Amino acid sequence: MKCTVAVENRKEPRFAVFFKVLARDLSRFSGCIEGVSKSGCRLRFPDAEDFDLDGEYAVTVCPQPNSGNRNFELTVKPRWIQRVENGAVVGCSVLCTPGYRQFLRLVHQISADADDPDAAP
């Protein structure tokens, strides 16, 4: 799995990825994770319900089938929302809940692939 790294002005690197995500309290439709770091993720949905930026939401992450990772649930806290022409982008912190360990393993795997120039796209 090939990905790019975005450092920007951040505490840790963010990796550009594309995974399906389900978040019934945020959207009626499935969305995707566009980027991950050890502490957060950027989600995109074709629509987004109104929600509380102080709320916590369950999302199901569906990694690529050939990645060797199973679907898992995370709890996220939205930090910002940007309405875009074809939906909404939501920046979230990932909370330390049971799915967080699997999320960190996935970020570590993506990080290792980003460092490996021979990693498959």
Side-chain angles (χ1 to χ4, degrees), residues 27-44:
S27 175
R28 295 172 296 195
F29 305 101
S30 63
C32 67
I33 295 182
E34 294 184 328
V36 296
S37 69
K38 289 181 181 178
S39 63
C41 59
R42 184 175 59 222
L43 310 175
R44 179 179 291 268

Side-chain angles (χ1 to χ4, degrees), residues 26-72:
L26 294 176
S27 175
R28 295 172 296 195
F29 305 101
S30 63
C32 67
I33 295 182
E34 294 184 328
V36 296
S37 69
K38 289 181 181 178
S39 63
C41 59
R42 184 175 59 222
L43 310 175
R44 179 179 291 268
F45 295 101
D47 73 335
E49 303 296 326
D50 289 329
F51 58 91
D52 183 0
L53 286 176
D54 293 324
E56 297 176 1
Y57 299 90
V59 298
T60 302
V61 179
C62 307
Q64 297 169 344
N66 60 351
S67 70
N69 295 296
R70 294 182 175 179
N71 294 0
F72 61 95

Side-chain angles (χ1 to χ4, degrees), residues 38-110:
K38 289 181 181 178
S39 63
C41 59
R42 184 175 59 222
L43 310 175
R44 179 179 291 268
F45 295 101
D47 73 335
E49 303 296 326
D50 289 329
F51 58 91
D52 183 0
L53 286 176
D54 293 324
E56 297 176 1
Y57 299 90
V59 298
T60 302
V61 179
C62 307
Q64 297 169 344
N66 60 351
S67 70
N69 295 296
R70 294 182 175 179
N71 294 0
F72 61 95
E73 190 169 295
L74 285 178
T75 302
V76 299
K77 182 175 179 56
R79 295 295 180 198
W80 53 266
I81 183 169
Q82 178 184 11
R83 304 281 179 192
V84 293
E85 183 177 331
N86 57 349
V89 178
V90 184
C92 300
S93 295
V94 176
L95 303 180
C96 290
T97 55
Y100 184 63
R101 291 180 117 172
Q102 192 166 352
F103 177 76
L104 285 179
R105 281 194 299 272
L106 185 63
V107 172
H108 179 73
Q109 179 183 0
I110 292 165

